[in-house]
């Protein structure tokens, strides 16, 4: 047990999928895994461990925003020795070529700050994904026929941004989408020599205002879970 995770040592698999929403973790575990066991429910942040095609995997909520994800990923890595961590979540599209429902695989993350900012001081650290996971995820998405974009994303600190000029500058510099967690995931993976990737569905679009209807969200989320599982175990 850790401060925020009630799982016993050994209850967490080496591969962890991280949706922001704990109820998405429950849905994904019940839909895609066999022999599912609830391993955490501290503060309602649900985590499940089960089997996928003979491979042991944990699906655990991260919460929203980098401070929340940082707590869970620190403990998953340092206390439970998680080795492969894949965020599955949503993002806002920031380019015309990116459509609602498309998948974005984040190579690198741009931020104003992460919970790790203090240790870098004036250094602009560039958090990046694991190449093997990216490669595997791209081919899994292609095989499923899911339109997929590979490139940089923006990990924001606030959803209700009072500085919309920041989003404009991100679009101008080719950033594909905005979410709120991946930069800290990639930073922690780099620090502890783990594999990390963010697989994101475009749930809304900052340029067009379009949003994914709620009935489509489950299917898009399911595609992401399968892409992440294929990426981890290929
Ligand atoms: N901003 C930040 N995070 C998000 C968004 C957004 O527009 N959409 C989904 N996650």
């Amino acid at each position: 047990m850790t401060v925020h995770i009630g799982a016993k040592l050994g209850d967490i698999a080496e591969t962890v999928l991280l949706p922001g929403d704990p109820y998405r973790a429950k849905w994904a575990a019940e839909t895609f895994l066999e022999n599912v066991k609830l391993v955490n429910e501290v503060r309602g942040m649900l985590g499940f461990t089960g089997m996928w095609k003979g491979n042991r995997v944990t699906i655990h909520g991260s919460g929203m925003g980098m401070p929340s994800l940082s707590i869970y990923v620190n403990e998953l890595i340092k206390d439970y020795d998680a080795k492969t961590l894949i965020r599955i979540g949503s993002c806002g599209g920031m380019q015309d070529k990116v459509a609602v429902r498309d998948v974005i695989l984040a190579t690198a993350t741009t931020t104003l700050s992460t919970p790790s900012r203090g240790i870098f001081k004036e250094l602009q650290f560039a958090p990046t994904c694991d190449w093997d996971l990216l490669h595997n995820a791209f081919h899994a998405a292609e095989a499923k026929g899911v339109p997929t974009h590979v490139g940089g994303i923006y990990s924001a600190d606030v959803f209700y941004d009072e500085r919309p000029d920041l989003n404009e500058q991100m679009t101008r510099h080719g950033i594909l989408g905005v979410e709120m967690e991946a930069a800290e995931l990639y930073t922690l993976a780099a620090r502890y020599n783990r594999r990390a990737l963010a697989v994101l569905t475009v749930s809304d679009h900052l340029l067009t205002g379009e949003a994914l209807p709620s009935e489509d969200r489950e299917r898009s989320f399911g595609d992401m879970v399968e892409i992440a599982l294929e990426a981890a175990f290929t």
Side-chain angles (χ1 to χ4, degrees):
M1 271 181 68
T2 63
V3 179
H4 303 95
I5 301 177
K8 293 197 289 293
L9 273 186
D11 272 354
I12 303 282
E14 284 190 0
T15 297
V16 184
L17 270 48
L18 293 157
D21 178 353
Y23 286 104
R24 289 282 185 193
K26 182 174 194 293
W27 180 85
E30 288 170 353
T31 306
F32 294 100
L33 306 187
E34 291 170 349
N35 301 326
V36 174
K37 179 178 163 191
L38 174 71
V39 294
N40 186 36
E41 52 183 337
V42 175
R43 292 175 186 243
M45 192 54 78
L46 306 175
F48 301 85
T49 296
M51 299 297 290
W52 182 77
K53 297 189 179 176
N55 301 291
R56 198 156 174 264
V57 54
T58 294
I59 308 184
H60 196 291
S62 70
M64 289 180 282
M66 289 185 267
S68 176
L69 175 134
S70 187
I71 289 170
Y72 295 106
V73 171
N74 261 289
E75 294 178 12
L76 287 165
I77 290 176
K78 291 194 282 195
D79 298 296
Y80 295 97
D81 206 19
K83 295 206 164 29
T84 296
L85 301 106
I86 304 181
R87 163 162 159 70
I88 44 177
S90 61
C91 70
M94 299 187 107
Q95 299 293 328
D96 286 328
K97 68 178 179 187
V98 169
V100 166
R101 287 184 195 78
D102 288 1
V103 162
I104 292 176
L105 303 175
T107 51
T109 56
T110 296
T111 59
L112 276 178
S113 73
T114 71
S116 299
R117 183 82 204 111
I119 65 174
F120 293 118
K121 303 196 174 74
E122 69 277 19
L123 190 76
Q124 303 281 331
F125 178 68
T128 55
C129 74
D130 177 82
W131 161 250
D132 285 327
L133 290 178
L134 173 66
H135 178 264
N136 295 345
F138 181 76
H139 290 292
E142 206 174 38
K144 289 176 77 60
V146 179
T148 302
H149 307 266
V150 179
I153 62 161
Y154 170 41
S155 294
D157 287 329
V158 285
F159 188 90
Y160 298 104
D161 204 331
E162 296 293 324
R163 286 181 54 184
D165 57 310
L166 273 183
N167 289 339
E168 279 170 30
Q169 292 302 341
M170 293 297 99
T171 298
R172 186 174 167 221
H173 289 85
I175 292 293
L176 298 173
V178 52
E179 52 84 81
M180 299 183 68
E181 292 83 15
E184 176 68 355
L185 173 63
Y186 288 6
T187 300
L188 291 170
R191 190 177 311 153
Y192 296 107
N193 192 24
R194 309 299 154 114
R195 306 197 303 165
L197 179 67
V199 180
L200 307 165
T201 295
V202 179
S203 62
D204 53 272
H205 208 292
L206 274 68
L207 303 182
T208 65
E210 195 191 343
L212 192 60
S214 54
E215 59 270 25
D216 288 4
R217 283 176 191 251
E218 198 161 279
R219 204 195 65 219
S220 292
F221 185 72
D223 284 344
M224 274 193 297
V225 176
E226 288 182 313
I227 291 167
L229 290 167
E230 297 277 358
F233 297 114
T234 300

